[in-house]
Each structure stands twice: as C-alpha cells, then as structure tokens.
Amino acid sequence: MEPPTLEAARRRLRRRRIASIVVLVAMDLTIIALVRLSHRGTHIAESVLFPGVGLIENHPWLAVGFVLAMLTATVLWLAWGADWLLGAIWLASLLTTIALAPAGHGGGGALRGSHEFPLVVAATAVITWLRSLAGRLPGVRRLRTACRRRQVARGTHAVGVVDTCRAASIAALATSAGAEVDVPAHRAALAEPRIRQRARRVGALARWRFTGDPLRADQAAVRTALASWGEPESGMDDEASRRVAGVVASDPGWVRPLDAALAAAAARARGASTAAFERLLVERWALRRSHRPAWWYEPLGFAAGAAPPWEHAAMTAVCRANGWIGDEDWPHLRRAVLGAAARHDGDAHDERLVAAGRVWLRHVDDDEVARIVARRSAPTDPIALALTQWAAALTDGPPPTGLDRVGTIATGRRTPSSGEEPRR
Amino acid sequence: MSTDAAAPEVHADDAEVRPLLLPEHPARFGPISRRLLLRLVGALLVIEAVGVALVALADGHAARAAGLSLMFPGGGFLYDACPVLFLATLALSVVALVLWWGASAHLAIPVVWVLGVVGAALLADGPRLWVDHGTQWTWAIPVVVVLVVAAAAIAVWRVERRYRAKRALIPELNAYLRTAELPAPVATHRQPDAMDAELLRWCLDFANQPDDGLDGLDWGEQFHGGTQVRYQLNSLAWSMSLFAANNVPNAQGQIERALRAVVGKHTDLRVWRYWRTLNLVGNFDPNPDPIVRDNIMFSAFLADVLNSYEAATGSTAFDEPGSLTFVWKDGRTFAYDHHSIVAAVRHNFEASRLGFFPCEPGWSFTVCNTMGAQALRGHDTAHGTNEWDAVRDRWVRTLDEEYATPDGSYAHIRSNHVGLSWDTGEVPGGHYFANGTHRFADILPDHARRARALDLRGAGPKMAALATMVDADGLLPLDLPAEPERNHARTSTLLPWNKVIGGARLAGEAALTEAAIRTSAVRCATGKRWPERPLDVGGAALGSHMLLRWSQPLDLAALNIRGHVPPVGPVVTDAPWDEVLFLSARSDDGHALRLIVQPRDDGETVPLRLSLGALLPGGDYVLRSGAGEWTAHADGEGTATVEATVTGRTELVLERQVG
C-alpha cells in the first residue's frame, strides 16, 4: 500500500503526461493547419519546430540569435533545470515569426523545417558524443588529469558546490559507520557562502525564487549534506513525500542518481520512509544493459541516459549498503573498477570509481578485485576520500544497517538478514 | 672481511677448468639466419628484377619511374626530375628503419618503398617544380643502378670485413684461452658501511611507499630509452635479494617485506603498458597481456626477479596462483604467478623458429634471452623442475650458431623475420662476450669461463694497474669524469665508478673492489634521501651499483645456482622493523649471531626488542654490544625474547652462555 502522498504524486504525474501528449498532438495539428493555410503559416510552423528557423530567409541574424539562445537555454535547462527559459524562447521566436514572417512565396518550408529539427537534435547528439569522445582521448584526458594533479599539488584545485556537498553527505555516512573523518573541514565547507549562493542562483534562474530561503525546495545535494551534519531537514521529508521519486530533486526538475541515493540514505537514517525511492529503483532506475539511468526528469517522469561508471558505482554502493538493491550491479561494475584501479592518471572519476568499489567490496566476495583495489593509495578527490573512509569503516565496523533487513528488493533477490553471515 | 664458506661452486670451478676454445672454422651465419637472409635476398632480387624489367622493357615514363623506385627507394623521383622527393624518400627510409627497430613497425620500410613506386609513377608525366612539365632525367637510370650496386656492395663488404677480421683473431685468441688463468673471484663478505645503510634506507623507503607509488625512479619513454621503469624495478629487486642473502640471512623480516612490495610493483600498469603498443604495431595483436607472447624483456626479467627473491628469502608468496595479476586499463585481468610466467617463457622458447624469442616483436636480443634461460634455470633450482634442460640444447645451438661471431662475442640483436643483425648503439660494437645479470655462469659455465677470460684479456691488465694505486687508507685516488646515463637525460659521477668496481670484481682484485666502493661513496654521495638518491646517479645505474656492492660473497648467478638455503644459527623472527635498520645479521659459525643495526631516524635511541628463534632449547643467551649486555633464556621450542637499546650504528653479538 502506497503512502497517500506518493499516490497523489503519481496521479499528478499521470495527469502531466496526458497533458503533455495532448499539447504535442495539438501542436502537430496546428503545424499542419498553418502549413496548409498560408505561406506565413509555413514559417511559423518552422519556428514552432525549432525556434528561429522560420526567420532564416528574411532575418538570418535574428534566426541565429534564437538558435544560440535556444542552445544556451538547453544547457541551462540540463544543468540547472531552467525549463521555463526554453518555453520562453520558443514563445518569443513564435511571436517574432508571426510578426516578421513574409506573406508569400514558394512553399515546402515546413517540410524542410520538419527535417531540420531532427537534424538539430542529431547534431546536438553528435556534438555531445564528440565532446565525450574528446574527453576520453589519451592526450585530452592526460592534459585534463595533469592539470588537475598540478592544481591538487598547489592546493588550488576547486571542488564544485555539488561535489563538496556529496562528499560531506558520504562523510556523514562514514561517521555513522564509525569512521574518523575531518569533521571541521566538512562543516566549514558546508558553511561557505558559495553553497547557498549557488542554490539562490539556480532557484532564481530556474524557478524565479528571488527571495526567501534558497534551500526551501529541490537542492538535494546541499540539503542532504546539511541535514546529515545536524542542520534541520527544513521540510525535505515532506517535500520528498510529494515526489514520485521519493526524494527532492537535485536541481529543479532533475533528479540525479547519487544525490537521490544519498538523500534517501539520509532520510532513512532520520527514520523517514524510502519506499518511493526503492520503488523508483525497481521501476525506473533498474539496471538495463549494464547501466543505471543518468537522470530522472521529474515533470514528465522519465529516466534516461547512462550514469557514468563512477556515479553508477557510488549510487549503487549507497543503495547496496542500505539493502535497497542486491548484488546484481557488481558484475557490471567490477571490470570498470579494475580498470580505474589500474589507471594511474590522477582522474577524479577513477578515484571515485575505485572508492565506490571499496564500498561494494564490503558486500560482495571478490578477492581479485579486493587485491587490486587495495594497491591504490588514498585518493585526493573529496568524494573518493569520503567513500574510502566509509568503506574502511564498513570493513572494520559492524555490518551496514541495510544488511539487517530481509526483503525482496529490486530484482527480487534476497539480502542477508541480521542472523545471516555477511558475505564479507 | 670474512671468507665465506658458502662461496658459489661456479666460482670454485673457474680457476681449475680451462676455458672453452673458439671454433676454428666458424660459419658466417647460422642455418636459420642463413635461411632467413636468403629469403630476404631472394625477395629483394625479385623486386630488383621486376624493377629492371620495367625500366628496360616497359614502354612509358610511368613504368620506368616505378621500376627505378622499385630498384632503389625513391629512385623514380630522380627520373621524374623531383630530387626533393627523392631526398625525402631517403629521409623517410631512415625514419622507417628507426621505427622498424624501435617500435617493431615491420611495414614501415615496405610502405615507404611502395609510396616511392606509386608516387614516381603518378608524377611521371606530371608537373615539375623547377623544370618543364613532364621532364625526365634519363641520366637517373645509371645513377640508380650505381646506387643499388653500391648499397649491396657496402652491405656485403661490411659484413665480410668484420667476419674476416674476427676470424683472423681465432688462433691468437685460442692460444690465449689455452693458457689463460682465471683469477679467483672476490668471495668475501663485505661489512656494511655508512653508504650501505643509506642505500638500504633508500630501498626500504621506496618499497614502503604506497603500493601504487613509484617515486624515486627515473621517468621517460618505456621502449628503448634507458628510462624503463621495469629495468629499474628489476635491478632494485635483484640488489635487495642479494642484500637479503648476503647480509641479513638471519633476520629477513624487514628486507623480505620490502622485496615483496618491490616485486608487486611490477604489476603496475605504468610498468608494462608499453607492451600493448608494441604488440599492436609489431604483431598486429591488440592483446595487452605482457607475459603470453614475446616481450621477453619483461616476462623473463620478472621471472628472474622471482627466482632471486625466492632464493634469498625462501618465500613462496609469488607461487600462489594469481599472485601477480596484471590489470589492463579497461579492467581485463591477466593472472600469473612464478610458475605460469616461467611456463610462458618456456613456451615462447619452444615456439620460436630462431630459438630465441623476441623482446620487441620481431627482434630477439641475446641479453634478454639469456635472462630467459636464467629464469628457467632458477625455477628449476627452486622447484625441482626441468624447464631449462628441456630447452637447453636448442638454446645453446641458437647461441653458438646464430648469434656467435668468430672472436667469441655474440650479436646483441637479430631479426626473427629476416635474420639481420646490426649495431643498435646500445652496447659498444653491437657485440659482447657475455651478458645477462649472470653472464652465463649458471646456465652455461663453460661459456661463462670463456667470456670471462676474453673480457679479462682487455680489462685484466688495466685493473691490475689500478690496483697498484690503492692508497694506505684503502681509497683509490682517482678523479673520474661524469658520464652520460644511457637515457642521455643526465650525467652521473657514479657511472665510471660502477665500471671500475665491476672490472675489479671480474679481475678478482678484492682490494681494488673495496677501494673503488669506498671511494665512490666519498666522491658521489649527495647527502640526500628518498625520493632523491643518496648517490649521484640515475635510477637504473643506482640499482646496478647496489648489485655490485651487495654481490659478496654470493652474486646473482651463485644465488640462482644455490637456491634457498635456510640460515644456520640463531635467527631474528621479529623486531621493530620500522624503527631499526638491519644492516647485517649473520651466523658464520652456526652458533653466534652477529648483528649490525642502527635506528632508522638519525640521532635516536630506540628500544630493540628481538624475538629470536632456532636457539638451543633451554639455553641461556647473552646479547652484547659496546653499550651493555642483555640476557635471554630459550624456551623448549628454542625461542626467546631479548630487549636492548640501540643508539647509532651498533654491533651486537648473541652467544650462548656456557656454564
């Protein structure tokens, strides 16, 4: 039986999905009608399909401006959840096209436009893929990691707000498992003005929250870290109970796996319900083709992408430690962990992957990986360090709390009960 | 110094058995090399014949240009009135030659050759830079013919001249070998001095850094340049093994732990990842496994390191399956152990048509294959197998027929594909009388004696002259200029001293050896500690220096022959290994245990709690130093604990109290 708030959230999500489909169908019909009615309609239809395209013939610079604005808005949407910006630019381009589009010459533009949009999507995908490919190239990767090494050596390496908070949340888990962590450093990091500054910036841009507490909604990483280190949870549990994911969003609209797992772990430690999150793990964030999704888009309720190996490993390590999943991820992670342990190029993601592997090794019996991972020295990345400290505490301390539960979790596999021998 | 009763038998033989004589009528090439060379010559003749036919019989400029480029790389460009392209082809041919040797790019030369043919044909009627469109220089035809004949003549003349010059030496060398007296080897135990303590401290600090730490080594390219991490690790492990066997056989807890860590560092990806590139380029094989195919420069060296480690410590840690697991950067694992590495080396020997198998794909080096033979021999000693016997006859045949030259030296390198050998510049003249860390002493004693005699023919008188210069303080008043390291990245003042110490040891000049060791410590000390080096030298040569210092009485060959022998007399089973340096722990008479220890940190006084074993059950023992005496009573199992204090370098003697 689901909690009433979760049931209500799921109903809302269903309604939003239906509304989205209705809007899409209406848009399609409108485009068809516009094309058939007039030449100006063709231009409008082009701008409906992709903002600014309908202006290319007569106002090329304006068209380029809309395209650039759209790309920027897309980046801001993906990074901070500023979804209204996309809609605003779309609407502005539509109105501009209605006002400026010429009244008549040859047709066929909508057909062209309808081909252009998939092309733009494809081009975006290709650019993203090329960027990720370039990031993996030996030279680029070496340059990037060498730069990071130099910064770490000089003490000038700046860790982002989200990663600082994630590290603090994991360190809190480590502390509760008995590890000795640098408590003053974590508290000091969370007290830095930039933590709230980012939340305020994101809230203002994405949701027009110019006043009040910037942490009153979303901001899973920051709020989880603060709550884990003794700050009041400031309505996080209440907000989470109204979300289908069962956790607050990382940034408006977006739920990212590690933030979600840490938020759920912290909620569990507070005694709050994690049923919705566990259900999300089974239904939407399940392991498929060796991956877990990279994100959950809250407004429309879909998960997609493939989480980077380190985030997959760290997120599932948290889930496994809490008993929300079984060992099914480990066979897919172990080779990545081994590879990361073998590489010595100072890459922060490798350090995190190895550290997450250490947590996993607390729960699975894999001597080969344990031997290899044990050869890696202490990491410099704060998330990796916190994971390592947590893993060490799990090794030395009592079994993690999740292991005292018996249940059918995720794939239906059974986790050991408190009366059973832990695997390691 | 004390004479060691456990001096290796190979040394004892040296003075009594006459060195092997050289064959009176050596062949120019061994049968396999000859076959490979004939195949190469045949292929070249076919190419030349096609080229000549195109030039002489085909109608048209393109065919003629292509034919000339077939006859001589880029020759057609000269016919096409494109001298710049001709010179560029020659330059590319040189680059291809270097890549062929350096990176096993076997297709590099054929590709340049073919490019020359295709390019010349395409340009035959094309535009020109400085002359009219479609110009042909017909005088290029005789020039190319002259170049071909000259190149062939120079190659034959160089090989033949060298062969005849060496063959002419045979009577003289055999006469020398018939009468040569091999000096007794330096087989005394050296008392460790202050520099030994610094070097041991460096080794321990290096080994005790995190498992994935390689600080203290030289870094650079990992193919040929002399900065290979693998060789630096090898030499550290060998020298530490010698220290364990010669200096602290009765207290190995400290050195064994450090050695195990150094051996484990061989599995670090940075040490062996070069292999995937070589395997891909040279064998068209993307498998990164560093052991299974070729790469004897890694597999055999590591197996030899394992032999030394086991012989020195008796540990079987690396006999366990998977104890040496190599992990590629995509997470693939290659699990090995001492046995499986040796099995791979033997398999590669047996699979090689030449008899020696390659380091870099296609190139088999004598030194590396000697290490391979040592690896099998040492494994046999340690585990009672017959790996070396199984390949020995074929191995010796390859050495004597394919690699030997008339004066008793061996070619450094030979191509497995075309049978060619040349001077790579890595060793003087591209030849040596012996190589490998054991110089044939364990695998082929007869060859070892001959090589030693031939080396001494030049070095002996020089060493004897140097020995007269040792002064009353036991120092060698010489100023030796710094020499460039093999990696050419730096010069080192210790390098020439390494040569003197090695030469003195080869010549059996004990006083000169000791004097050179002591003087080098005075002249080359830097006062630095890990990760800097206590001597002015690069990473690889530091290992060589420690090998030379710690090779008495057992050297690596003797250790490989002897295997592990449990120590006699009392042993230290536990001690504050992290606080105290154990410089010496020996029981020469099997009764008294003599220790030399010093605190790890300068100027400290540290408690020394020794757990002792192999005592006479119920016996009363006393531990004496200049500062005091401490007593211990052995229990029924012959163990006891004694507590002393140590300030600075301290000599201790543990003896049983009688009466």
Side-chain angles (χ1 to χ4, degrees):
Chain A
M1 191 67 183
E2 290 179 350
T5 49
L6 177 59
E7 185 54 40
R10 294 172 79 88
R11 273 201 305 274
R12 280 197 301 277
L13 177 58
R14 269 197 298 276
R15 281 200 296 271
R16 268 201 304 274
R17 283 175 166 172
I18 292 167
S20 304
I21 292 167
V22 169
V23 168
L24 277 174
V25 171
M27 266 178 63
D28 259 0
L29 294 174
T30 309
I31 291 167
I32 293 165
L34 286 169
V35 172
R36 291 211 168 265
L37 286 176
S38 68
H39 177 70
R40 175 173 289 174
T42 307
H43 284 280
I44 293 167
E46 286 175 342
S47 280
V48 168
L49 288 167
F50 193 88
V53 171
L55 296 166
I56 280 179
E57 285 179 22
N58 298 89
H59 303 279
W61 290 111
L62 205 54
V64 169
F66 273 117
V67 169
L68 289 178
M70 194 66 186
L71 288 175
T72 309
T74 307
V75 170
L76 288 173
W77 173 49
L78 294 174
W80 289 348
D83 40 15
W84 67 270
L85 201 53
L86 283 173
I89 290 168
W90 179 80
L91 193 63
S93 113
L94 192 63
L95 294 174
T96 311
T97 311
I98 291 169
L100 301 178
H105 63 81
L111 190 64
R112 231 179 19 250
S114 68
H115 288 142
E116 279 160 4
F117 183 61
L119 274 179
V120 169
V121 173
T124 309
V126 167
I127 290 168
T128 309
W129 178 74
L130 284 174
R131 186 173 160 274
S132 116
L133 191 72
R136 289 200 299 270
L137 285 176
V140 176
R141 187 187 164 94
R142 185 170 292 183
L143 206 65
R144 196 183 65 205
T145 52
C147 182
R148 178 178 171 269
R149 269 202 305 270
R150 272 197 302 276
Q151 287 174 343
V152 168
R154 286 199 300 258
T156 58
H157 180 65
V159 180
V161 167
V162 172
D163 284 349
T164 300
C165 294
R166 288 168 168 175
S169 299
I170 298 166
L173 291 176
T175 308
S176 62
E180 282 188 20
V181 303
D182 192 348
V183 175
H186 284 294
R187 286 193 190 282
L190 292 177
E192 286 177 17
R194 68 188 181 117
I195 303 289
R196 282 174 181 269
Q197 277 167 6
R198 181 191 182 275
R200 188 171 295 286
R201 206 161 41 232
V202 172
L205 183 76
R207 290 292 179 266
W208 297 7
R209 295 174 192 141
F210 296 106
T211 57
D213 182 4
L215 299 177
R216 64 180 179 274
D218 305 321
Q219 301 298 332
V222 181
R223 293 166 75 191
T224 302
L226 290 172
S228 300
W229 285 99
E231 298 271 329
E233 51 92 13
S234 63
M236 198 157 62
D237 292 338
D238 187 39
E239 184 184 341
S241 69
R242 296 195 304 270
R243 306 290 176 99
V244 173
V247 290
V248 299
S250 304
D251 286 309
W254 298 106
V255 181
R256 304 189 207 286
L258 182 56
D259 295 334
L262 290 171
R268 183 166 193 260
R270 289 193 298 272
S273 168
T274 58
F277 178 70
E278 291 180 54
R279 186 164 171 176
L280 181 82
L281 281 175
V282 177
E283 292 178 353
R284 303 289 176 175
W285 260 348
L287 183 69
R288 289 196 182 92
R289 292 195 296 276
S290 302
H291 293 291
R292 297 254 179 191
W295 41 262
W296 161 262
Y297 186 56
E298 218 172 25
L300 295 178
F302 62 89
W310 79 265
E311 195 169 2
H312 179 184
M315 173 261 202
T316 51
V318 174
C319 295
R320 179 65 187 85
N322 281 279
W324 296 325
I325 59 172
D327 294 339
E328 64 273 14
D329 286 76
W330 180 245
H332 306 282
L333 288 170
R334 74 182 297 279
R335 189 162 153 177
V337 170
L338 279 168
R343 296 186 292 261
H344 287 83
D345 49 13
D347 186 74
H349 290 185
D350 278 356
E351 288 188 350
R352 293 174 189 180
L353 186 47
V354 172
R358 291 184 203 271
V359 178
W360 260 107
L361 287 165
R362 175 67 181 96
H363 306 293
V364 295
D365 197 4
D366 195 330
D367 284 342
E368 186 183 40
V369 181
R371 271 203 318 273
I372 303 300
V373 162
R375 296 187 64 81
R376 280 299 296 259
S377 50
T380 54
D381 175 76
I383 290 180
L385 183 63
L387 283 167
T388 305
Q389 289 167 334
W390 187 31
L394 290 175
T395 305
D396 297 329
T401 51
L403 290 181
D404 58 10
R405 300 167 67 246
V406 181
T408 306
I409 294 171
T411 57
R413 293 175 64 171
R414 188 167 168 271
T415 52
S417 71
S418 55
E420 291 173 306
E421 194 68 25
R423 297 197 188 180
R424 273 177 72 85
Chain B
M1 288 193 226
S2 62
T3 303
D4 197 280
E9 59 180 276
V10 65
H11 287 164
D13 282 348
D14 276 348
E16 297 162 11
V17 184
R18 295 254 59 83
L20 208 61
L21 296 182
L22 298 169
E24 297 285 348
H25 303 289
R28 283 175 180 76
F29 303 105
I32 298 168
S33 303
R34 192 182 308 126
R35 202 157 50 240
L36 291 171
L37 281 167
L38 284 175
R39 190 176 69 178
L40 173 68
V41 170
L44 288 173
L45 284 176
V46 169
I47 292 170
E48 293 302 318
V50 173
V52 168
L54 283 172
V55 172
L57 305 176
D59 192 21
H61 298 309
R64 196 165 295 155
L68 286 170
S69 274
L70 271 179
M71 290 171 67
F72 192 86
F77 288 127
L78 211 53
Y79 177 76
D80 288 342
C82 300
V84 174
L85 287 179
F86 171 68
L87 292 174
T89 310
L90 287 186
L92 276 178
S93 300
V94 173
V95 172
L97 192 71
V98 173
L99 287 177
W100 180 34
W101 169 69
S104 296
H106 303 296
L107 291 182
I109 292 175
V111 163
V112 171
W113 206 326
V114 169
L115 281 177
V117 173
V118 174
L122 291 174
L123 278 176
D125 295 310
R128 303 287 187 261
L129 260 186
W130 298 295
V131 293
D132 292 339
H133 190 100
T135 301
Q136 273 85 40
W137 289 344
T138 49
W139 55 260
I141 297 173
V143 168
V144 167
V145 171
V146 169
L147 285 174
V148 171
V149 173
I154 289 171
V156 171
W157 177 73
R158 281 173 64 94
V159 171
E160 190 63 18
R161 186 189 62 158
R162 192 168 195 171
Y163 168 75
R164 285 171 188 260
K166 288 191 169 198
R167 195 179 58 181
L169 290 171
I170 292 174
E172 178 190 340
L173 290 175
N174 274 343
Y176 161 74
L177 289 171
R178 280 190 196 95
T179 58
E181 294 294 332
L182 289 177
V186 181
T188 50
H189 174 243
R190 271 190 68 246
Q191 286 292 94
D193 57 23
M195 183 51 73
D196 288 303
E198 283 305 309
L199 291 169
L200 175 64
R201 187 197 311 276
W202 192 94
C203 289
L204 297 179
D205 287 344
F206 174 81
N208 293 338
Q209 64 182 311
D211 283 338
D212 59 352
L214 292 170
D215 292 348
L217 302 182
D218 285 335
W219 281 94
E221 66 90 11
Q222 299 295 310
F223 298 106
H224 284 282
T227 46
Q228 296 97 327
V229 175
R230 58 186 180 276
Y231 297 141
Q232 295 177 63
L233 285 176
N234 293 158
S235 59
L236 272 179
W238 284 321
S239 52
M240 289 165 73
S241 297
L242 286 175
F243 187 88
N246 286 326
N247 282 26
V248 288
N250 293 52
Q252 293 201 325
Q254 184 174 62
I255 196 75
E256 193 279 331
R257 192 178 63 174
L259 253 173
R260 196 159 8 107
V262 172
V263 173
K265 287 181 191 295
H266 285 77
T267 61
D268 193 297
L269 180 63
R270 291 164 293 180
V271 178
W272 57 273
R273 72 175 159 202
Y274 68 91
W275 172 246
R276 204 254 184 170
T277 306
L278 287 178
N279 204 22
L280 190 62
V281 172
N283 289 330
F284 307 112
D285 181 355
N287 185 4
D289 185 336
I291 302 294
V292 70
R293 178 179 187 180
D294 297 347
N295 201 18
I296 189 173
M297 59 197 168
F298 184 77
S299 57
F301 281 62
L302 177 54
D304 194 62
V305 162
L306 294 169
N307 290 340
S308 304
Y309 165 73
E310 289 194 2
T313 66
S315 167
T316 56
F318 295 105
D319 290 343
E320 297 302 316
S323 50
L324 289 161
T325 297
F326 301 89
V327 185
W328 184 240
K329 55 189 173 188
D330 64 2
R332 269 179 287 173
T333 56
F334 308 102
Y336 285 95
D337 54 61
H338 190 191
H339 307 307
S340 54
I341 293 174
V342 166
V345 171
R346 177 180 164 178
H347 171 78
N348 276 312
F349 272 132
E350 290 172 339
S352 168
R353 191 170 44 170
L354 183 63
F356 283 6
F357 72 93
C359 300
E360 290 85 4
W363 295 107
S364 293
F365 290 69
T366 303
V367 55
C368 298
N369 279 270
T370 304
M371 298 300 297
Q374 290 174 195
L376 303 188
R377 172 71 167 83
H379 187 268
D380 290 349
T381 306
H383 299 287
T385 52
N386 65 343
E387 309 282 0
W388 170 233
D389 287 341
V391 302
R392 180 191 163 111
D393 289 347
R394 183 149 180 263
W395 196 95
V396 175
R397 205 162 52 243
T398 300
L399 180 75
D400 285 345
E401 294 180 357
E402 310 296 339
Y403 281 76
T405 67
D407 67 349
S409 65
Y410 301 97
H412 179 50
I413 182 175
R414 193 170 288 283
S415 164
N416 288 62
H417 298 318
V418 295
L420 281 175
S421 171
W422 63 19
D423 181 0
T424 62
E426 291 174 301
V427 291
H431 293 76
Y432 35 67
F433 293 116
N435 214 317
T437 46
H438 308 174
R439 301 178 65 80
F440 300 145
D442 51 350
I443 52 169
L444 302 171
D446 293 342
H447 288 67
R449 277 189 288 272
R450 182 172 74 190
R452 188 160 176 238
L454 291 171
D455 274 324
L456 281 174
R457 185 166 171 259
K462 292 177 192 165
M463 292 299 127
L466 273 180
T468 62
M469 296 173 67
V470 176
D471 65 18
D473 297 328
L475 296 173
L476 191 59
L478 272 183
D479 281 319
L480 297 176
E483 290 183 4
E485 293 265 358
R486 196 179 145 223
N487 56 33
H488 299 292
R490 56 167 291 169
T491 58
S492 305
T493 53
L494 187 65
L495 278 182
W497 286 104
N498 274 359
K499 291 177 185 172
V500 174
I501 298 167
R505 172 157 292 132
L506 186 77
E509 297 281 0
L512 177 62
T513 304
E514 185 59 24
I517 288 174
R518 290 179 59 194
T519 312
S520 67
V522 174
R523 299 281 163 83
C524 308
T526 61
K528 294 175 182 170
R529 288 183 176 169
W530 181 86
E532 304 298 321
R533 301 192 187 104
L535 288 163
D536 175 33
V537 72
L542 178 68
S544 304
H545 182 73
M546 289 189 284
L547 270 176
L548 290 165
R549 269 184 171 263
W550 295 338
S551 280
Q552 291 174 221
L554 291 169
D555 60 13
L556 283 173
L559 193 61
N560 213 33
I561 293 167
R562 188 200 74 170
H564 179 64
V565 174
V568 294
V571 294
V572 178
T573 55
D574 194 24
W577 304 119
D578 292 330
E579 280 91 51
V580 178
L581 290 176
F582 277 74
L583 296 170
S584 185
R586 292 169 57 91
S587 176
D588 292 334
D589 59 6
H591 300 293
L593 173 63
R594 296 177 187 281
L595 300 167
I596 302 176
V597 296
Q598 74 176 62
R600 195 99 173 238
D601 295 324
D602 297 327
E604 278 204 348
T605 297
V606 295
L608 180 67
R609 187 173 195 275
L610 297 177
S611 297
L612 302 164
L615 304 174
L616 189 70
D620 290 316
Y621 285 81
V622 60
L623 181 68
R624 291 193 184 89
S625 79
E629 288 187 3
W630 300 270
T631 56
H633 179 75
D635 62 16
E637 294 178 348
T639 64
T641 302
V642 61
E643 297 195 33
T645 53
V646 175
T647 305
R649 181 187 164 101
T650 306
E651 295 192 23
L652 298 153
V653 180
L654 178 80
E655 287 177 309
R656 194 160 75 89
Q657 285 181 308
V658 182

